[in-house]
Short mmCIF file of all heavy atoms in Angstrom, two decimals:
data_model
loop_
_atom_site.label_atom_id
_atom_site.label_comp_id
_atom_site.label_asym_id
_atom_site.label_seq_id
_atom_site.Cartn_x
_atom_site.Cartn_y
_atom_site.Cartn_z
N ASP T 287 -16.03 -1.13 -2.97
CA ASP T 287 -15.18 -2.33 -3.21
C ASP T 287 -14.53 -2.86 -1.96
O ASP T 287 -14.37 -4.02 -1.75
CB ASP T 287 -14.13 -1.98 -4.25
CG ASP T 287 -14.74 -1.66 -5.62
OD1 ASP T 287 -15.95 -1.90 -5.79
OD2 ASP T 287 -14.03 -1.17 -6.49
N THR T 288 -14.13 -1.91 -1.07
CA THR T 288 -13.42 -2.35 0.14
C THR T 288 -14.30 -2.17 1.40
O THR T 288 -13.91 -2.54 2.49
CB THR T 288 -12.17 -1.48 0.34
OG1 THR T 288 -12.56 -0.11 0.45
CG2 THR T 288 -11.17 -1.63 -0.81
N HIS T 289 -15.50 -1.59 1.21
CA HIS T 289 -16.45 -1.29 2.32
C HIS T 289 -15.81 -0.36 3.32
O HIS T 289 -16.06 -0.43 4.51
CB HIS T 289 -16.90 -2.59 3.01
CG HIS T 289 -17.53 -3.59 2.08
ND1 HIS T 289 -18.65 -3.30 1.33
CD2 HIS T 289 -17.14 -4.85 1.75
CE1 HIS T 289 -18.96 -4.35 0.57
NE2 HIS T 289 -18.05 -5.31 0.84
N MET T 290 -14.95 0.54 2.82
CA MET T 290 -14.31 1.52 3.72
C MET T 290 -14.96 2.86 3.62
O MET T 290 -15.35 3.32 2.52
CB MET T 290 -12.82 1.61 3.35
CG MET T 290 -11.97 0.51 3.93
SD MET T 290 -10.24 0.63 3.39
CE MET T 290 -9.74 2.06 4.40
N LEU T 291 -15.13 3.51 4.78
CA LEU T 291 -15.74 4.85 4.84
C LEU T 291 -14.61 5.81 5.26
O LEU T 291 -13.89 5.54 6.25
CB LEU T 291 -16.87 4.84 5.85
CG LEU T 291 -17.37 6.23 6.23
CD1 LEU T 291 -18.27 6.82 5.15
CD2 LEU T 291 -18.15 6.20 7.57
N TYR T 292 -14.46 6.90 4.54
CA TYR T 292 -13.50 7.97 4.88
C TYR T 292 -14.28 9.19 5.34
O TYR T 292 -15.21 9.60 4.65
CB TYR T 292 -12.63 8.30 3.66
CG TYR T 292 -11.83 7.13 3.15
CD1 TYR T 292 -12.39 6.26 2.22
CD2 TYR T 292 -10.53 6.90 3.58
CE1 TYR T 292 -11.66 5.21 1.71
CE2 TYR T 292 -9.81 5.82 3.07
CZ TYR T 292 -10.40 4.98 2.13
OH TYR T 292 -9.67 3.91 1.65
N LEU T 293 -13.84 9.80 6.43
CA LEU T 293 -14.43 11.04 6.93
C LEU T 293 -13.43 12.17 6.91
O LEU T 293 -12.38 12.04 7.61
CB LEU T 293 -15.01 10.88 8.36
CG LEU T 293 -16.20 9.93 8.59
CD1 LEU T 293 -16.55 9.90 10.02
CD2 LEU T 293 -17.40 10.40 7.75
N ALA T 294 -13.68 13.21 6.21
CA ALA T 294 -12.74 14.31 6.12
C ALA T 294 -13.46 15.62 6.47
O ALA T 294 -14.49 15.93 5.91
CB ALA T 294 -12.18 14.44 4.71
N GLY T 295 -12.93 16.35 7.44
CA GLY T 295 -13.56 17.57 7.88
C GLY T 295 -13.07 18.79 7.13
O GLY T 295 -11.84 18.85 6.87
N LYS T 296 -13.98 19.67 6.76
CA LYS T 296 -13.58 20.92 6.07
C LYS T 296 -12.82 21.80 7.07
O LYS T 296 -13.34 22.02 8.19
CB LYS T 296 -14.79 21.61 5.57
CG LYS T 296 -14.52 22.85 4.72
CD LYS T 296 -15.76 23.46 4.16
CE LYS T 296 -15.47 24.66 3.29
NZ LYS T 296 -16.66 25.27 2.76
N GLY T 297 -11.61 22.20 6.70
CA GLY T 297 -10.79 22.96 7.64
C GLY T 297 -9.91 22.13 8.53
O GLY T 297 -9.06 22.63 9.28
N ASP T 298 -10.11 20.76 8.51
CA ASP T 298 -9.23 19.87 9.28
C ASP T 298 -8.03 19.47 8.38
O ASP T 298 -8.03 19.71 7.17
CB ASP T 298 -9.96 18.53 9.61
CG ASP T 298 -11.19 18.75 10.44
OD1 ASP T 298 -11.51 19.88 10.72
OD2 ASP T 298 -11.80 17.74 10.79
N GLY T 299 -7.05 18.84 8.99
CA GLY T 299 -5.96 18.29 8.18
C GLY T 299 -5.99 16.76 8.21
O GLY T 299 -5.18 16.11 7.50
N ASN T 300 -6.96 16.18 8.91
CA ASN T 300 -6.95 14.74 9.08
C ASN T 300 -8.08 14.04 8.29
O ASN T 300 -9.05 14.68 7.93
CB ASN T 300 -7.03 14.33 10.55
CG ASN T 300 -8.26 14.88 11.22
OD1 ASN T 300 -8.92 15.78 10.67
ND2 ASN T 300 -8.58 14.42 12.38
N ILE T 301 -7.91 12.74 8.03
CA ILE T 301 -8.95 11.93 7.38
C ILE T 301 -9.07 10.65 8.19
O ILE T 301 -8.10 9.88 8.29
CB ILE T 301 -8.57 11.59 5.89
CG1 ILE T 301 -8.40 12.85 5.09
CG2 ILE T 301 -9.63 10.71 5.29
CD1 ILE T 301 -7.84 12.65 3.71
N ARG T 302 -10.23 10.44 8.81
CA ARG T 302 -10.46 9.15 9.56
C ARG T 302 -11.02 8.13 8.59
O ARG T 302 -11.73 8.46 7.71
CB ARG T 302 -11.47 9.41 10.67
CG ARG T 302 -11.03 10.38 11.71
CD ARG T 302 -12.20 10.62 12.67
NE ARG T 302 -11.87 11.46 13.81
CZ ARG T 302 -11.90 12.82 13.77
NH1 ARG T 302 -12.28 13.41 12.65
NH2 ARG T 302 -11.56 13.54 14.82
N TYR T 303 -10.68 6.87 8.86
CA TYR T 303 -11.31 5.83 8.03
C TYR T 303 -11.74 4.63 8.86
O TYR T 303 -11.18 4.27 9.91
CB TYR T 303 -10.44 5.40 6.89
CG TYR T 303 -8.95 5.32 7.11
CD1 TYR T 303 -8.29 4.13 7.18
CD2 TYR T 303 -8.17 6.48 7.11
CE1 TYR T 303 -6.93 4.07 7.34
CE2 TYR T 303 -6.80 6.46 7.24
CZ TYR T 303 -6.23 5.21 7.38
OH TYR T 303 -4.84 5.17 7.53
N TYR T 304 -12.88 4.05 8.40
CA TYR T 304 -13.60 2.98 9.08
C TYR T 304 -13.90 1.88 8.09
O TYR T 304 -13.90 2.06 6.87
CB TYR T 304 -14.92 3.52 9.60
CG TYR T 304 -14.86 4.68 10.56
CD1 TYR T 304 -14.65 5.96 10.06
CD2 TYR T 304 -15.06 4.49 11.91
CE1 TYR T 304 -14.57 7.05 10.93
CE2 TYR T 304 -15.03 5.62 12.76
CZ TYR T 304 -14.78 6.87 12.28
OH TYR T 304 -14.74 7.91 13.14
N GLU T 305 -14.22 0.72 8.63
CA GLU T 305 -14.74 -0.40 7.83
C GLU T 305 -16.21 -0.61 8.16
O GLU T 305 -16.55 -0.61 9.37
CB GLU T 305 -13.93 -1.66 8.06
CG GLU T 305 -14.21 -2.71 6.99
CD GLU T 305 -13.20 -3.86 7.03
OE1 GLU T 305 -12.40 -3.93 7.96
OE2 GLU T 305 -13.24 -4.68 6.11
N ILE T 306 -17.05 -0.74 7.17
CA ILE T 306 -18.50 -0.91 7.37
C ILE T 306 -18.88 -2.38 7.17
O ILE T 306 -18.37 -3.03 6.25
CB ILE T 306 -19.29 -0.07 6.35
CG1 ILE T 306 -18.85 1.39 6.41
CG2 ILE T 306 -20.78 -0.22 6.54
CD1 ILE T 306 -19.67 2.32 7.26
N SER T 307 -19.71 -2.90 8.08
CA SER T 307 -20.19 -4.28 7.89
C SER T 307 -21.72 -4.28 8.07
O SER T 307 -22.28 -3.32 8.61
CB SER T 307 -19.53 -5.23 8.91
OG SER T 307 -19.85 -4.77 10.23
N THR T 308 -22.36 -5.37 7.65
CA THR T 308 -23.80 -5.48 7.73
C THR T 308 -24.27 -5.90 9.11
O THR T 308 -25.44 -5.86 9.45
CB THR T 308 -24.35 -6.48 6.67
OG1 THR T 308 -23.60 -7.72 6.79
CG2 THR T 308 -24.20 -5.90 5.27
N GLU T 309 -23.36 -6.43 9.95
CA GLU T 309 -23.71 -6.88 11.30
C GLU T 309 -23.09 -5.94 12.35
O GLU T 309 -22.18 -5.19 12.05
CB GLU T 309 -23.13 -8.29 11.49
CG GLU T 309 -23.82 -9.31 10.57
CD GLU T 309 -22.99 -10.61 10.46
OE1 GLU T 309 -22.01 -10.72 11.19
OE2 GLU T 309 -23.36 -11.48 9.71
N LYS T 310 -23.65 -5.99 13.52
CA LYS T 310 -23.16 -5.12 14.61
C LYS T 310 -21.70 -5.45 14.86
O LYS T 310 -21.29 -6.61 14.76
CB LYS T 310 -24.00 -5.43 15.89
CG LYS T 310 -25.37 -4.79 15.80
CD LYS T 310 -26.14 -4.91 17.10
CE LYS T 310 -27.51 -4.26 17.02
NZ LYS T 310 -28.28 -4.37 18.24
N PRO T 311 -20.88 -4.45 15.14
CA PRO T 311 -21.24 -3.04 15.47
C PRO T 311 -21.40 -2.13 14.23
O PRO T 311 -21.39 -0.92 14.39
CB PRO T 311 -20.03 -2.61 16.33
CG PRO T 311 -18.88 -3.40 15.78
CD PRO T 311 -19.42 -4.67 15.30
N PHE T 312 -21.46 -2.67 13.03
CA PHE T 312 -21.65 -1.98 11.75
C PHE T 312 -20.47 -1.12 11.34
O PHE T 312 -20.09 -1.12 10.18
CB PHE T 312 -22.91 -1.04 11.84
CG PHE T 312 -24.18 -1.76 12.11
CD1 PHE T 312 -24.97 -1.41 13.21
CD2 PHE T 312 -24.65 -2.81 11.32
CE1 PHE T 312 -26.16 -2.04 13.49
CE2 PHE T 312 -25.83 -3.45 11.58
CZ PHE T 312 -26.61 -3.07 12.66
N LEU T 313 -19.87 -0.39 12.30
CA LEU T 313 -18.83 0.57 11.98
C LEU T 313 -17.57 0.26 12.86
O LEU T 313 -17.65 0.25 14.05
CB LEU T 313 -19.36 1.98 12.38
CG LEU T 313 -18.73 3.20 11.70
CD1 LEU T 313 -18.97 3.22 10.24
CD2 LEU T 313 -19.30 4.48 12.35
#
Side-chain angles (χ1 to χ4, degrees):
D287 295 349
T288 60
H289 305 300
M290 281 178 70
L291 170 76
Y292 300 86
L293 293 179
K296 187 175 180 180
D298 300 2
N300 58 346
I301 300 170
R302 297 174 176 86
Y303 36 106
Y304 302 76
E305 194 167 8
I306 305 265
S307 60
T308 51
E309 295 164 5
K310 286 185 177 179
F312 302 122
L313 201 66

